[in-house]
Amino acid sequence: MKTIKNILLLAVVVITATAFTLKSDSGYQIGDKIEDFKLKNVDGDFLSLSDYDDAKGYIIIFTCNTCPYSVANEDRIIALNDKYEDEGYPVIAINPNNPEAVADESFEKMKVRSEEKNFNFPYLLDEGQKVYPKFGATKTPHVFIVTKNDMKVKYIGAIDNSSRNPDAVTEKYVEDAVDALLAGKTVEKTETRAIGCSIKV
């Protein structure tokens, strides 16, 4: 009985550590200048940050098809783009998962998911998993807000303070950060805990 309890306790610890994490130290930090990237969108075209002539910045979100946390945030991601694209902060979603590890993360399944949910933002495949390690993303979803004029990271973390239930949100981290940037103010909360599924390699 004691062994079973120990195993269950270990499982809880592992699950908790998998779902809750801060950003990796190996990627971009707040204030770092990022490199542009060129990734394939679900419409078949390749997209770079430099393609956004009128942007003031970017809401870059690493997300995927199958993670329950990502699925729970899809409507919120759509709402973010609805609110901020015309203000100069478009959402750019990137799937960092290896489709060879999870078949439902394939490019074809990404296209299906985008159509099913009527994504109003680009949904890019990180083919070869070359982009997400530069950012230091560890979860889906994981958000990075970048300003265009200097290409610097201004916020890293979660969308808000309720990873699964939108009705329980009391603090909107991404909206607060973008609103501050649009108003020419300093982002007060620059980092929060990303909660989600580990990126599949």
Side-chain angles (χ1 to χ4, degrees):
M1 182 65 73
K2 187 175 180 181
T3 302
I4 293 173
K5 286 183 178 179
N6 288 339
I7 291 172
L8 290 174
L9 180 61
L10 179 61
V12 169
V13 170
V14 170
I15 290 170
T16 302
T18 299
F20 297 81
T21 187
L22 290 173
K23 184 184 158 301
S24 167
D25 289 334
S26 63
Y28 297 131
Q29 307 296 317
I30 296 298
D32 284 353
K33 185 174 181 177
I34 74 163
E35 297 177 11
D36 200 352
F37 49 76
K38 188 175 184 179
L39 297 174
K40 191 176 183 180
N41 188 18
V42 288
D43 64 4
D45 292 333
F46 282 84
L47 187 69
S48 297
L49 298 179
S50 58
D51 294 328
Y52 288 83
D53 295 332
D54 299 326
K56 298 173 184 175
Y58 316 94
I59 304 171
I60 300 168
I61 304 178
F62 292 91
T63 187
C64 68
N65 296 340
T66 61
C67 172
Y69 294 93
S70 290
V71 172
N73 276 275
E74 285 175 336
D75 288 339
R76 280 175 269 185
I77 296 172
I78 291 169
L80 282 173
N81 198 61
D82 271 338
K83 184 172 183 178
Y84 291 112
E85 182 179 29
D86 289 343
E87 297 294 320
Y89 274 84
V91 166
I92 299 167
I94 301 173
N95 187 334
N97 284 334
N98 179 2
E100 293 184 5
V102 183
D104 283 342
E105 299 294 352
S106 70
F107 184 70
E108 291 303 315
K109 290 295 180 70
M110 286 173 59
K111 290 196 289 186
V112 170
R113 190 62 186 166
S114 179
E115 291 172 3
E116 286 177 344
K117 290 294 296 183
N118 292 315
F119 284 169
N120 58 353
F121 49 81
Y123 188 24
L124 313 177
L125 174 64
D126 185 6
E127 189 169 4
Q129 298 184 300
K130 297 176 182 178
V131 173
Y132 91 81
K134 293 181 180 180
F135 279 81
T138 58
K139 299 292 171 190
T140 53
H142 207 156
V143 183
F144 296 76
I145 297 175
V146 176
T147 43
K148 183 181 179 181
N149 63 327
D150 53 11
M151 296 296 281
K152 288 186 177 180
V153 180
K154 302 297 182 179
Y155 171 82
I156 301 170
I159 291 172
D160 51 45
N161 66 344
S162 179
S163 60
R164 299 289 288 268
N165 181 9
D167 295 328
V169 174
T170 59
E171 192 170 1
K172 298 181 177 182
Y173 305 134
V174 169
E175 289 192 29
D176 290 346
V178 176
D179 286 345
L181 291 168
L182 286 171
K185 299 178 181 178
T186 300
V187 176
E188 291 187 7
K189 186 170 286 188
T190 57
E191 291 190 74
T192 61
R193 189 185 301 273
I195 301 173
C197 303
S198 60
I199 292 172
K200 307 302 185 289
V201 297

